[in-house]
Amino acid sequence: MTSQWTQDKYHKKALKEGFRARAAYKLTEIQKRFSIIRDDDNVVDLGAAPGSWLQVLQALTHGRIIGVDLNPIAPMEGVTTVVGDFTTPEVQEEVRELAGGVVSVVTCDAAPKLSGATSYDQARAIALGEDALGFAVTLLKEGGNFLCKSFQGEDFPEFYAEVKKHFRSVRTYRPHASRRGSREVYIIAKNFKRSGDDA
């Protein structure tokens, strides 16, 4: 079980090692365990600000790395950023062009601003995950991978089932770097299967 000391440990470690947020260690742990990113993959990170996952991706792939967020992201070498709403066709087409038409992996560590009302926040988080899944289904190449943060709650099983419709391997994982008491869980979906209904 994580503790307040663990939370402080990851926060201090991020500062010491130059990561923009402690979330960097979640992606590092998931990659070590599930190998979702190969060294030549083009990766799109949704809700990428402030950019800690982009920093990790720099060390994982020599492919194109694209970060998308409503807010500007401080520049970093080897990373292209797009300011905009990833649910819009305009942003999706811009990303497709930047990726040279091939998106191998879509990651999303985004979360809505929390109101404190558990059921409401969980529903908004699931909706955000559904938007990320829609993006992935639209742009991913056949056999591509999808990693998305979600939150446990009454709406989660339905969302998880929807992800399973599009990928041959789907599982959940909670990294050690997650905060104590958080309901967050990550969906690791591998081997995208494009259907005739997918854009």
Side-chain angles (χ1 to χ4, degrees), residues 36-38 40-44 61 63-64 99 101-106 139-146 167 189 191-192:
I36 63 166
I37 298 158
R38 294 158 293 231
D40 60 348
D41 280 341
N42 293 343
V43 184
V44 181
T61 179
R64 300 180 186 186
V102 179
V103 175
S104 313
V105 182
V106 173
L139 272 75
L140 270 181
K141 71 174 186 178
E142 181 81 19
N145 298 333
F146 175 57
F167 295 85
N191 203 349
F192 175 59

Side-chain angles (χ1 to χ4, degrees), residues 19 22 35-36 72-74 79 94 99 148 151 165 170 179 195:
F19 287 114
R22 54 182 287 128
S35 300
I36 63 166
I73 301 168
V79 174
E94 182 177 358
C148 181
F151 291 85
K165 293 179 183 178
V170 182
R179 294 183 185 276
S195 71

